Amino acid sequence: MLTLLKIHNLALVDELLWEPHHGYLSITGETGAGKSVIMGGISLALGERGDKSMIRSGEEQCSIEAVFQLADTARIDRQLEESGINTCEDGTLVIRRIMTATGNRQYINACPATLKLLREIGMGLVDMHHPDDHRSLTSQERQLSLLDAYAENHAARETYRSAWLAWSEARRAVRTLEEAERTNERELDYLRHQIEEIEEAGLTETEAAELEARWQRAHNAARLHDAAIPMARLLEGDDNSLIPQLRQLIRHARDLVRLDPSAASWTSPLESVAAELEECTDSLRDYTERLDLDPETMANLSERINKLDTLKRKYGSDYAAIEAHLQTCRARLDEIDNRDERLEELRWQEQLCREQLASAAGKLTATRREAAPRLAKDIVRHARELGFKQARFDISLTPLNEPGAHGAEETEFLFGPNPGEPLKALRLIASSGELARVMLALKSALARQDDTPLLIFDEIDANVGGEIARAVGLKMRQLGSDHQVISITHFPQVAALAAHHYLIEKKVSSGRTVSSLREVVEEERIHELVRMLGGGGATARAHARELLA
């Protein structure tokens, strides 16, 4: 149950501290007194988006704190642990929301939390109904989920869902391959062309690495000659070139050493210098010979480098990328060549998934067909207590042509509020008052299966008469035996049946309008019921006492 609601600087509320009781509670007050602020505070605490316009005028921030005492926190604790947030201690869950002009912050059990997590937690804590919320009953998907809740078939529904996802994936794979077959012939031709083009080139990793260097040298042969020939001439061109001069120098050094052996220490390097220069001359000679390519060799080199450039332009920036593309093409070609075998395998897998889905669907459908008449009977019983004295209700289950995400059938809630008239789809009933009572009948029928601790009904008794309003109040009081139920109402018949009655008032204090909430008992409660009855005097007070009795 909700044990504490604390609101600070939200709209007309400057400071509100509410500790609601268990059971059926009613909140009343004049129009515009601020009842919507209470609902707004709870909604914000449960993750509804808010903005700075909700902050009380002249203030910088507003805050909402809600404390819940829960009998079982296992599900919520799992959610909190997954998000790294403190779990509930002694069954207590504390939610705090702060809104400022620059942004919002929210906390769960004193830990910062995301708005998404807050909404997920809130969905299991409070079931809130506004005047138009009962229109959701006209959704066939919503009707199916209500039937499933009554049937308590969660395991069968999860099994079906897993089977449907597996079948959908298998079917998608089959269709993808079947559609691909229609374009495979063109793809085959293109793949074969690519493979043939790369293989015909006959390139190797070594050749590819050397080709560009060879082409660069060949392309710059003239300039390289211009640099290499003068080097050769300087080294060994004539008697005045470097090597002949060095040889003559060495002969003189040898003569010197014969006369004075101590000179060997500084003349000996001349021998090694001469050897290195001669080696350099040999390398230079070989290099210049390689630069002299004949026209045929040059043409072959040009052809190979052009082929490499073409492959790089089409299939990758280097040899490794070209080779990877070749392997990809071969694998894809092999896949397409074996498509018949692959398609047969996929079709077999789809059929297997389809059989498993049919089995799961049969079990799920059986739970729904067994629960549907029981739910319809319970709804009729509650609807008659809500003023539909001769109401009829039926739940139809129509098989789908193809299994859907939620089952192999669709449902339609059929309602006949008046005798002699045919049953009509609930979505075709225009009266919001009728729909509101049907929704309350549904909630009453599902009270045992619904583990939501707090139910809030915001003026869902609108557009109903006095006797019917009392029936609505009685039904809420019955729900209050299993849930904490809060009803915001303008009907004295509904408010009088509450175990606890709260009054929200709007006053002017120090030139500012403020709203406050307090419980009314005994004479104060009678006074509020008299106001709601719209009269005064002894007769109205007697009527109010009679309602409470």
Side-chain angles (χ1 to χ4, degrees), residues 220-509:
N220 294 316
R223 295 174 62 187
L224 293 171
H225 262 290
D226 290 344
I229 296 302
M231 288 175 64
R233 288 174 181 166
L234 284 170
L235 285 170
E236 198 175 24
D238 53 34
D239 291 343
N240 293 320
S241 56
L242 188 57
I243 290 179
Q245 292 285 343
L246 185 57
R247 287 173 183 158
Q248 186 178 358
L249 182 61
I250 290 172
R251 286 195 295 270
H252 290 305
R254 287 172 181 170
D255 291 339
L256 182 63
V257 169
R258 280 195 296 269
L259 296 173
D260 182 4
S262 66
S265 62
W266 50 270
T267 59
S268 59
L270 293 173
E271 299 280 352
S272 60
V273 170
E276 289 180 6
L277 284 176
E278 287 175 355
E279 186 179 342
C280 177
T281 303
D282 292 340
S283 298
L284 187 58
R285 188 180 299 113
D286 292 340
Y287 181 76
T288 54
E289 287 175 358
R290 290 199 304 271
L291 291 176
D292 295 328
L293 298 178
D294 61 85
E296 183 178 353
T297 303
M298 188 65 183
N300 289 337
L301 180 59
S302 178
E303 180 183 350
R304 297 299 285 166
I305 197 69
N306 286 337
K307 177 65 72 175
L308 177 60
D309 286 343
T310 299
L311 296 180
K312 286 166 62 177
R313 187 171 60 253
K314 289 183 177 181
Y315 308 124
S317 60
D318 53 26
Y319 175 84
I322 296 169
E323 180 65 21
H325 183 78
L326 174 63
Q327 298 306 323
T328 300
C329 289
R330 285 172 176 166
R332 177 60 179 155
L333 183 63
D334 182 66
E335 181 183 334
I336 295 174
D337 283 341
N338 295 298
R339 63 188 181 278
D340 291 339
E341 180 182 338
R342 176 61 177 158
L343 186 58
E344 182 180 352
E345 179 185 342
L346 288 175
R347 284 173 175 162
W348 176 84
Q349 184 67 32
E350 181 191 8
Q351 180 59 31
L352 178 62
C353 289
R354 185 69 177 83
E355 291 171 0
Q356 293 173 342
L357 178 63
S359 174
K363 293 176 182 177
L364 180 60
T365 298
T367 66
R368 290 169 173 173
R369 291 198 179 282
E370 187 277 331
R374 291 192 293 110
L375 176 58
K377 183 178 179 180
D378 273 357
I379 291 172
V380 166
R381 176 169 61 85
H382 290 290
R384 287 177 176 171
E385 293 173 359
L386 288 168
F388 296 111
K389 298 301 182 183
Q390 300 184 58
R392 292 175 299 147
F393 198 94
D394 193 17
I395 299 174
S396 71
L397 291 169
T398 306
L400 296 169
N401 294 329
E402 189 174 86
H406 304 289
E409 59 276 322
E410 62 180 2
T411 189
E412 186 79 79
F413 283 7
L414 305 171
F415 186 54
N418 302 310
E421 296 295 325
L423 291 171
K424 293 182 180 179
L426 204 59
R427 54 190 165 82
L428 300 178
I429 296 176
S431 168
S432 61
E434 287 182 338
L435 273 179
R437 281 184 284 161
V438 171
M439 185 275 296
L440 193 53
L442 265 167
K443 277 291 175 185
S444 300
L446 290 164
R448 184 173 61 85
Q449 291 81 8
D450 190 352
D451 59 357
T452 308
L454 173 59
L455 305 178
I456 301 178
F457 299 98
D458 183 9
E459 299 185 13
I460 69 154
D461 48 16
N463 304 316
V464 299
E467 282 302 314
I468 302 302
R470 180 170 176 77
V472 168
L474 284 170
K475 194 59 63 181
M476 289 186 188
R477 187 166 70 178
Q478 290 173 11
L479 285 172
S481 62
D482 297 308
H483 304 268
Q484 185 182 37
V485 178
I486 298 174
S487 171
I488 296 177
T489 181
H490 286 292
F491 275 90
Q493 296 92 333
V494 175
L497 290 165
H500 299 274
H501 185 163
Y502 297 89
L503 173 65
I504 189 159
E505 297 175 296
K506 182 171 64 175
K507 298 179 180 178
V508 177
S509 176

Side-chain angles (χ1 to χ4, degrees), residues 138-158:
T138 63
S139 162
Q140 289 179 303
E141 185 176 328
R142 172 65 172 156
Q143 292 174 3
L144 197 60
S145 68
L146 290 170
L147 175 59
D148 285 339
Y150 188 83
E152 297 180 318
N153 59 9
H154 178 76
R157 195 153 38 90
E158 288 302 307

Side-chain angles (χ1 to χ4, degrees), residues 15-33:
E15 194 74 46
L16 181 144
L17 180 64
W18 184 32
E19 298 178 90
H21 295 278
H22 188 267
Y24 172 38
L25 320 176
S26 68
I27 298 177
T28 64
E30 294 182 352
T31 300

Side-chain angles (χ1 to χ4, degrees), residues 166-185:
W167 172 66
S168 298
E169 179 59 26
R171 183 175 58 163
R172 184 200 62 76
V174 170
R175 289 180 176 175
T176 298
L177 190 54
E178 286 176 341
E179 290 171 2
E181 280 195 310
R182 291 191 284 270
T183 58
N184 273 347
E185 290 306 320

